[in-house]
């Protein structure tokens, strides 16, 4: 059980690029960032979506029937993470050294298989252990070709010593049922994990502003938005044309990690380039919000909505 939700803690949002399709090098980078955040007395650090070994964003930009696209998937599969494995052991050791909770996005591979990946967030504790694994409920758009639907159920949170810690991945931050599920566990801190780019249309920052504010408001928590950066190595690997390269470089310039407070107020925001974005948060501020609007408690009537799920339950 948590010591006290009134304790103020420092949180860190990662804004960085992986070493694209290289799990060993990216894991080393993850561990270095964890230790850096720990040296600044951060209690929680959140990483971007599928940070190890990188987001499979080529599915939005490269013709999928080509040998090039298939070869990128092959490399992604071979560089994906088995749980547990040497990568998770290294990350756990870094968390133990830094005395920090970490939520780390990975491409997860089922051990001993030749297919199927999951879009997964791993929760690590300050003792170095894996406290929970959350697989993305439903892969988004082109991710469906790469990732299977999650098999870890509705739970996407743990109880930390400062209170609840939850995490959802990219578009599922906008899932009302996902928000309700984590809300039932009353998170103090929620990690929203994002990739470095989408397809052309909506930018990552726009999604953060919409979905992040929704989570902060409906759940009543602090939201750590961890965002990937598209590295030159990823752009080269995609092999896109000049237009696609311009688009990806613009996404890199525009991408910003941030920390939001209840209602979507921005407490801290990154500038251009790789960095850790820090903010101090306190659970007492959430209690004040719940005084009027506790959607997991007195400001909801789940029993009168139960019939809406009858089709799914029959």
């Amino acid at each position: 059980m948590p010591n006290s939700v009134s304790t103020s803690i420092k949180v860190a949002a990662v804004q960085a690029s992986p070493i694209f399709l290289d799990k060993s090098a990216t894991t080393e980078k993850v561990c270095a960032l964890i230790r850096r955040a720990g040296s600044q007395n951060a209690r929680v650090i959140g990483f971007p979506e599928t940070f190890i070994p990188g987001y499979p964003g080529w599915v939005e930009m490269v013709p999928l029937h080509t040998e090039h696209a298939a070869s990128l998937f092959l490399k992604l599969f071979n560089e994906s993470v088995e749980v547990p494995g040497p990568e998770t052991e290294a990350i756990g050791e870094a968390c133990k050294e830094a005395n920090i909770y970490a939520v780390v996005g990975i491409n997860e591979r089922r051990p001993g298989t030749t297919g199927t990946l999951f879009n997964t967030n791993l929760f690590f504790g300050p003792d170095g252990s894996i406290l929970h694994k959350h697989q993305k409920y439903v892969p988004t758009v082109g991710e469906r070709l790469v990732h299977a639907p999650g098999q870890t159920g509705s739970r996407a949170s743990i109880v930390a010593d400062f209170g609840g810690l939850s995490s959802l991945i990219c578009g599922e931050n906008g899932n009302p049922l996902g928000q309700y599920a984590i809300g039932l566990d009353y998170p103090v801190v929620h990690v929203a994990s994002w990739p470095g780019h989408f397809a052309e249309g909506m930018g990552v920052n726009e999604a953060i502003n919409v979905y992040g504010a929704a989570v902060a408001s409906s759940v009543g928590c602090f939201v750590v938005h961890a965002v990937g950066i598209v590295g030159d190595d990823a752009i080269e690997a995609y092999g896109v044309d000049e237009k696609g390269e311009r688009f990806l470089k613009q996404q890199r310039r525009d991408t910003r990690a941030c920390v939001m407070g209840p209602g979507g107020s921005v407490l801290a925001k990154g500038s251009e380039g790789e960095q850790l974005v820090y903010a101090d948060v306190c659970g007492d501020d959430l209690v004040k919000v719940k005084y009027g609007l506790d959607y997991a408690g007195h400001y909801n009537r789940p029993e009168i909505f139960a019939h809406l799920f009858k089709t799914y339950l029959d």
Side-chain angles (χ1 to χ4, degrees), residues 8-199:
S8 180
I9 63 169
K10 179 181 284 188
V11 298
V14 172
Q15 179 176 299
S17 62
I19 314 303
F20 192 59
L21 301 184
D22 187 332
K23 67 179 174 183
S24 295
T26 305
T27 298
E28 289 180 7
K29 186 168 186 174
V30 166
C31 293
L33 289 168
I34 287 171
R35 293 186 177 99
R36 187 196 305 177
S39 71
Q40 297 300 311
N41 298 314
R43 195 64 180 142
V44 177
I45 181 171
F47 283 84
E49 179 177 12
T50 61
F51 194 69
I52 306 175
Y55 182 71
W58 71 81
V59 295
E60 307 290 354
M61 305 193 70
V62 175
L64 300 179
H65 64 280
T66 62
E67 175 60 28
H68 178 55
S71 68
L72 286 171
F73 175 74
L74 174 61
K75 189 165 186 180
L76 175 69
F77 184 85
N78 288 333
E79 292 293 315
S80 290
V81 177
E82 294 183 355
V83 182
E87 294 77 28
T88 62
E89 290 177 7
I91 295 168
E93 185 60 33
C95 288
K96 189 173 182 178
E97 291 177 19
N99 191 33
I100 197 170
Y101 291 90
V103 178
V104 182
I106 65 169
N107 290 273
E108 181 188 0
R109 182 177 70 199
R110 292 189 300 181
T113 66
T114 57
T116 297
L117 299 176
F118 295 97
N119 188 336
T120 299
N121 272 3
L122 297 177
F123 294 66
F124 291 86
D127 63 352
S129 63
I130 298 176
L131 300 176
H132 185 56
K133 177 171 71 175
H134 167 63
Q135 294 171 340
K136 195 173 188 180
Y137 300 134
V138 181
T140 310
V141 194
E143 295 168 16
R144 291 179 174 87
L145 185 64
V146 176
H147 296 134
Q151 298 179 358
T152 51
S154 64
R155 182 180 171 220
S157 61
I158 62 167
V159 177
D161 57 12
F162 56 82
L165 171 63
S166 62
S167 181
L168 293 172
I169 305 168
C170 195
E172 64 183 4
N173 284 283
N175 183 329
L177 295 178
Q179 294 173 14
Y180 183 65
I182 62 171
L184 293 173
D185 289 332
Y186 287 90
V188 173
V189 177
H190 173 76
V191 174
S193 299
W194 302 93
H197 72 90
F198 298 148

